[in-house]
Amino acid sequence: MSGSGSVEELGAHAARARAMALLRIRGRATALAILPAGAAVVLLVAGAQGRIEGDVWATVSWTVTGCAVAVLLIAAAVALAVARARPAVSPTVPLTEAAAPDLYRLVRDLADRLDVPAPSAIALTPDCDSWLEDRTHPAAQPHGKGLAKGLTGARRGRRVPAAPVLVIGSPFLWWMRVAELRAVLAPVVAGTGPSAHPDIAAARRFVRGLDAAVADAAQPGGGWVRRRCTVFVGWIARLMLRGCRNHAAEMERCVAAAASGRAQGVDYGLRIVAQEQVGLAYAGWDRLLTRVALPAWRMGRWPSQLDAGVVSALTELSRRDRLAEGFASRLGERPACDLIEEPGVADEAASLLAARLFHGGPAEAGPDWAPVDWQQYPEEVVDRKWRAEAARLHRVLDALGVATSVSVGGPGARGADGAAVPTLARVIDHLATPGADSEALAAGIGAAVARDEAAGTARPGAGPGVPEAAAPAATDPAPLDLWGPVPLPLFPLQPPRTGTELLADHVVAMVCCAAVDTAGATPGLDWLDGPALLVDGGRRSDLGAPVLSLVEDGDAEPLRTWLTTVGVRTDKPVRLG
């Protein structure tokens, strides 16, 4: 305990030293601003006492006075701009104490054990991380509503001394057990101790204000005069930030070291085990977002229970990965989400926020942006995704003048609307034909996808906000209001797909549609890989290689063998859309 105490004391002392260094930078800037005023006062007093006489000294005095007034005005304008600049606030879903009394009680008890101030409030973030965030700036306060009371019970309508907000990764609440969550949060909550020190708090406000001023200067818009003033303020703030960078980074490192040292005596042994769950949760959350949620978002559907889904994904990972054996046995213990009164409501709000942050969907549910639960996912997402991509593939083939070449009505047969019959054989024969221009097909699909995605971004109701389901927690501003005009998504999950990748995806979709329509296969959901084709109740995961052979090399034999094994009829029309 003495060792941890010494680490805490050393870290706190070093943090205060770095904070003083930052405040000295602020003091030097202030002194530089008032230096001309001091010189002007000396000259004016000397002139009034008759110590300096003559027209030359009078000219010098008034010139210095004019410069001093100009510098003071500029300094005041810069200081006002920095003070009014809105620091970045992480988009989160706020939780009131009424919505999560047990969670607030756990955090408050943890703060008592650590002998630090309790966080002022709790919020959820759709990410695998937890941190403290200062939201005492007036821009981060609710407007036109009753003031929220957090763990400390302090009103926060304007900047007042208050502990920071505790932001908790929502996947942790659903995957971790209560004891594990307490162990993981201990070093985070311990950070409220250093945050309460006035020098550290003042240094942080100073750095955040400079950073916000730089960010404001980077925003386009405004009149010519206003724009020039903003750029000048941003230039001054950037110069000061360069001098603060090393001190600020070292101060935060020392604060973290002090918090870690203070938390050594609270659930330290359990924390080592809980950190393994943090890594596992991150891996499962990443797979769930990129493989399961992203296809749904692209179809205009957002899974409304992502956090519950991560439990299924991690359980499946535990079943497949021998290194994860034993993790599933923890599921018999009380999950941390039980600390919330209505976990489904919080999960839905966090799921919608995740969709907006990582994909950029609208703020509210609608006909083109509807929630979907996991039972509906295969029908509402997987089957619709395959049908839409198969339809797009045939539209591009129609545009390229590619006709059917199978015996459904004879070569070159047309449907009732004049379009070629949508069969799998049409796709295979075209790509397997020597000299076939697969690049033109890939380019056409890429252009069609870009048009569809551009049309999707124009959906109505794309303003910031959270669903009505989150009403019990909605005492703070909407999660994305504080980001202003920043375009969504803030954190896109994947880079744009190439034309070849899109073509392969569309051919796979066409094969899956044919398998469903002619071989009795069904759409399904794999928790780690997303949309899946189920044949005789089992997942077929061996379709990718035959399709790539066809798309990249024009070799259709591997795919034809696969189709024969499954029993897919390539000459039968496929239902599209």
Side-chain angles (χ1 to χ4, degrees), residues 131-511:
W131 65 88
L132 294 171
E133 190 165 283
D134 182 7
R135 295 186 179 179
T136 57
H137 192 279
Q141 304 305 308
H143 299 286
K145 298 180 181 180
L147 297 175
K149 288 188 178 181
L151 283 165
T152 60
R155 292 182 174 273
R156 299 185 297 132
R158 56 185 179 181
R159 189 191 290 276
V160 295
V165 173
L166 174 62
V167 181
I168 304 175
S170 60
F172 291 165
L173 287 172
W174 269 258
W175 176 244
M176 288 186 171
R177 310 299 96 181
V178 172
E180 293 171 346
L181 179 68
R182 183 175 58 245
V184 168
L185 292 181
V188 182
V189 174
T192 61
S195 298
H197 193 278
D199 292 338
I200 295 176
R204 282 176 165 174
R205 286 196 300 269
F206 173 56
V207 174
R208 279 197 303 270
L210 294 177
D211 184 69
V214 172
D216 286 349
Q219 294 294 333
W224 187 88
V225 175
R226 180 183 177 87
R227 181 64 186 157
R228 292 297 181 274
C229 294
T230 303
V231 170
F232 176 75
V233 171
W235 177 71
I236 296 294
R238 192 174 294 108
L239 287 178
M240 297 182 69
L241 269 180
R242 290 175 185 171
C244 295
R245 184 183 299 117
N246 293 335
H247 292 300
E250 188 65 19
M251 180 185 70
E252 296 300 337
R253 189 188 70 80
C254 294
V255 167
S260 178
R262 178 177 287 267
Q264 288 282 337
V266 179
D267 298 331
Y268 181 72
L270 182 58
R271 190 176 311 130
I272 298 175
V273 178
Q275 288 299 326
E276 298 178 359
Q277 303 305 319
V278 172
L280 187 65
Y282 184 88
W285 183 248
D286 180 70
R287 290 287 289 265
L288 186 73
L289 292 182
T290 57
R291 306 292 181 86
V292 179
L294 188 58
W297 294 338
R298 287 172 174 163
M299 291 302 300
R301 296 291 185 269
W302 52 279
S304 59
Q305 302 295 322
L306 280 178
D307 292 307
V310 78
V311 178
S312 298
L314 291 172
T315 303
E316 179 65 16
L317 179 63
S318 301
R319 187 184 65 82
R320 296 184 190 180
D321 189 353
R322 292 183 178 180
L323 295 178
E325 288 181 357
F327 287 158
S329 62
R330 306 164 39 259
L331 300 182
E333 304 173 18
R334 186 190 183 194
C337 63
D338 280 358
L339 301 173
I340 301 176
E341 288 292 291
E342 298 183 60
V345 173
D347 196 355
E348 184 175 355
S351 298
L352 180 55
L353 181 57
R356 300 201 65 208
L357 291 176
F358 300 122
H359 182 68
E364 299 176 355
D368 297 324
W369 187 242
V372 60
D373 59 37
W374 296 122
Q375 289 75 23
Q376 298 172 328
Y377 186 94
E379 186 68 26
E380 290 290 323
V381 176
V382 180
D383 188 72
R384 289 181 65 243
K385 171 182 182 294
W386 289 343
R387 304 290 177 183
E389 291 181 348
R392 185 186 294 122
L393 175 59
H394 281 279
R395 286 198 302 270
V396 176
L397 289 174
D398 291 340
L400 294 176
V402 177
T404 184
S405 57
V406 295
S407 59
V408 181
R414 299 278 163 174
D417 59 354
V421 176
T423 64
L424 179 58
R426 180 193 189 198
V427 178
I428 296 176
D429 291 346
H430 173 69
L431 291 174
T433 300
D437 191 1
S438 60
E439 293 184 359
L441 180 57
I445 290 176
V449 170
R451 287 193 299 270
D452 292 344
E453 291 180 349
T457 58
R459 286 190 296 262
V466 293
E468 289 298 323
T475 57
D476 279 358
L480 296 174
D481 280 347
L482 300 177
W483 285 82
V486 176
L488 297 175
L490 292 176
F491 313 105
L493 287 178
Q494 290 181 335
R497 293 168 290 177
T498 66
T500 300
E501 292 172 339
L502 288 172
L503 177 56
D505 289 343
H506 284 65
V507 174
V508 167
M510 185 64 195
V511 173

